[in-house]
Amino acid sequence: MSDKTWSNVCTEANTCGLTGAAAFFAGIPDAVIVTNGPLWCYFYALRYLEKPCTELGSRFYCTQAENHAVVYGTEESLLKTLEQIRQNCQPSVILIENSCAIGLIGDDIEGIARQAAMPCPVVCIDSGGLKGGFWEGYRAAAKSYFTAMPLKPRRMALPWTINLIGCTVGYYNSENDLRELKRLLSLAGYQVLACPGAGSSTAEIACMAQAELNIVVHEELGLELAQFLQQVYGTPYVSLLPPYGMEGTVTWLKRIGEIMWLEEGRMQPVWQEVQELEQKIRVATLDAQRVWGDLWFESTLVAAPASVALAVAQAVRSEWADTGPVTVLSHSGSCACQPPAGIDQVLDGGCLGAGISKQLELLPGGLLLASSNEKALLQKAGITDVIFQPIALPVYDEINLSDRPLLGLRGACHMLEQLWNQYIHLCQRWR
């Protein structure tokens, strides 16, 4: 998806497994991460994650393994780093993740960690790019965490409680989106016990088994974990496309309500907000249509992690705009779930390679919802009459300081606002 050149900025849609593993533990505020490898690997992951986790630098360490460590091992540097952690912080759990080169030499990092006798559990994994990309690293770290940190036994499920599974600080606009999901669920009368890997502490995660239901938000991240938790603790789960758009959000909430036998009256505050926002959207869009016509695109390309891309494409087709063919490009590889109706083709972004340029050639007069990588390729090809909205990392041509989600009811308004405003601007350029 980008030029294969060395840089101090991550420009890959699919980063390495080391970054994915670090992302899961970065989302646990009382966890410490140790990259057992060179500084380049450490800074690569840190640069990717420090924007959503501004305090991450204080709990992300590196052994700074040099060339001789590949021959003689990393015991000395790893023990030194663990001693620094002992003196400077009091973590509830430590992740030690090997980079590619260190993973090849076969160091017994679990034995070294036992030798250090740290005062908290230590999770050790090989997570270099040779083990896969971001999503493989995240899934491996999540499974290793729950294996090393058993939950409190599931005695009796607390009524109206849920966990959100498969969320991460490593997705675009994740903090705002997760806040909107929690707001909606709270409005409907649910209590979110934990979001492992996305802000919940080890103490909050330890009580997860008491929830009535686990909701998989991003299947490429959380499905395997939800299946593991059901097998070990008996917590049922449901995997749904994340709620983009008004219709997508209503469907998402209704499906959860059906599974949990939620009384219709408890949803009244949600339906009240839906009605108010739909009226607001109706008035604004009718006014814009009178001047600028329908929101129409010749074609649409949506490129993002599979769950995000499919859900956004569904919202585009069903409510946000009129459009020609809709193509989905999955950054996270092939998608096992059935594409929603109205999506013309789903492509594996991990295998497409240079073929992305052919897809972009079909976009004049179209809509691109993707990362800055696809936008850069579009500009390189000299295609200018395309509306672009970022929905996936990397994004390196904007800053985002406000609370403006893309998910949920507030996210639906924000996305429609963005599309219309850019469309109006494009129409003004044409006149």
Side-chain angles (χ1 to χ4, degrees):
M1 297 297 295
S2 65
D3 295 335
K4 301 296 182 180
T5 56
W6 294 94
S7 171
N8 64 348
V9 177
C10 174
T11 57
E12 292 293 324
N14 185 6
T15 62
C16 66
L18 185 144
T19 304
F24 179 82
F25 278 81
I28 303 174
D30 50 338
V32 161
I33 306 162
V34 178
T35 293
N36 191 27
L39 277 172
W40 194 93
C41 294
Y42 164 75
F43 280 118
Y44 183 88
L46 178 62
R47 191 71 183 271
Y48 189 88
L49 298 170
E50 66 181 352
K51 189 177 293 184
C53 293
T54 55
E55 42 66 57
L56 184 59
S58 65
R59 55 187 180 93
F60 197 177
Y61 290 75
C62 180
T63 61
Q64 303 183 44
E66 298 177 351
N67 292 337
H68 72 277
V70 178
V71 178
Y72 298 107
T74 60
E75 180 177 355
E76 180 181 352
S77 58
L78 182 53
L79 287 173
K80 181 179 178 181
T81 301
L82 291 174
E83 182 58 30
Q84 289 177 340
I85 293 171
R86 187 197 307 274
Q87 295 175 5
N88 295 321
C89 13
Q90 296 179 323
S92 298
V93 63
I94 297 172
L95 168 69
I96 302 175
E97 52 175 353
N98 278 347
S99 66
C100 298
I102 305 305
L104 289 174
I105 68 176
D107 261 2
D108 180 15
I109 56 174
E110 292 186 0
I112 298 172
R114 286 193 297 270
Q115 180 182 341
M118 300 301 291
C120 66
V122 179
V123 177
C124 303
I125 60 175
D126 283 331
S127 61
L130 298 176
K131 293 285 187 177
F134 179 92
W135 294 276
E136 289 82 2
Y138 179 99
R139 293 193 295 263
K143 184 175 182 180
S144 297
Y145 174 90
F146 283 94
T147 301
M149 305 276 286
L151 304 181
K152 295 179 180 179
R154 179 182 174 86
R155 295 187 176 89
M156 181 181 296
L158 300 174
W160 316 118
T161 56
I162 60 174
N163 300 309
L164 297 177
I165 309 295
C167 298
T168 177
V169 298
Y171 274 12
Y172 175 71
N173 206 43
S174 58
E175 183 179 3
N176 292 334
D177 286 343
L178 184 56
R179 189 181 298 114
E180 172 68 359
L181 287 188
K182 289 181 176 179
R183 186 189 72 84
L184 287 173
L185 291 166
S186 176
L187 196 62
Y190 299 106
Q191 179 185 359
V192 178
L193 294 185
C195 307
S200 294
S201 67
T202 53
E204 291 169 327
I205 295 172
C207 299
M208 280 180 57
Q210 310 310 315
E212 278 196 292
L213 182 69
N214 286 334
I215 301 175
V216 179
V217 178
H218 298 295
E219 188 170 291
E220 65 276 4
L221 294 173
L223 180 59
E224 291 182 8
L225 177 57
Q227 293 170 339
F228 173 82
L229 294 173
Q230 183 181 52
Q231 179 182 2
V232 176
Y233 299 101
T235 309
Y237 74 89
V238 60
S239 183
L240 305 169
L241 283 178
Y244 285 90
M246 299 290 288
E247 294 179 19
T249 301
V250 169
T251 300
W252 190 76
L253 289 169
K254 282 184 175 180
R255 179 63 179 137
I256 295 170
E258 291 169 358
I259 294 171
M260 299 187 71
W261 299 88
L262 186 69
E263 299 173 1
E264 181 63 26
R266 293 173 66 96
M267 292 291 291
Q268 192 56 40
V270 176
W271 304 147
Q272 179 65 32
E273 183 172 331
V274 169
Q275 291 177 355
E276 292 173 358
L277 290 177
E278 284 181 338
Q279 177 65 16
K280 183 177 181 180
I281 290 172
R282 187 179 302 110
V283 171
T285 54
L286 284 175
D287 193 43
Q289 286 171 334
R290 292 189 186 100
V291 180
W292 305 106
D294 293 331
L295 189 60
W296 161 256
F297 302 102
E298 294 290 339
S299 62
T300 297
L301 176 62
V302 185
S307 61
V308 176
L310 290 172
V312 168
Q314 182 182 46
V316 170
R317 176 63 83 186
S318 64
E319 60 179 285
W320 285 345
D322 292 325
T323 180
V326 176
T327 298
V328 164
L329 177 65
S330 169
H331 287 170
S332 54
S334 59
C335 182
C337 60
Q338 184 69 24
I343 297 178
D344 296 277
Q345 61 176 338
V346 179
L347 304 175
D348 182 348
C351 301
L352 193 59
I356 180 63
S357 297
K358 295 182 180 179
Q359 296 298 319
L360 294 173
E361 290 173 0
L362 304 174
L363 269 187
L367 172 64
L368 176 64
L369 300 125
S371 74
S372 289
N373 282 348
E374 288 82 15
K375 180 182 178 182
L377 292 173
L378 196 71
Q379 293 172 331
K380 187 176 181 180
I383 302 172
T384 58
D385 55 340
V386 174
I387 288 177
F388 170 74
Q389 169 63 39
I391 60 170
L393 294 177
V395 174
Y396 38 78
D397 52 0
E398 71 164 25
I399 63 170
N400 188 351
L401 301 177
S402 59
D403 180 10
R404 304 185 74 178
L406 305 184
L407 281 174
L409 300 181
R410 292 173 60 233
C413 293
H414 172 53
M415 289 290 286
L416 195 57
E417 175 186 83
Q418 290 289 95
L419 297 180
W420 262 110
N421 287 342
Q422 291 191 67
Y423 183 76
I424 291 170
H425 178 69
L426 190 62
C427 291
Q428 288 173 328
R429 287 172 50 196
W430 285 344
R431 291 188 173 183

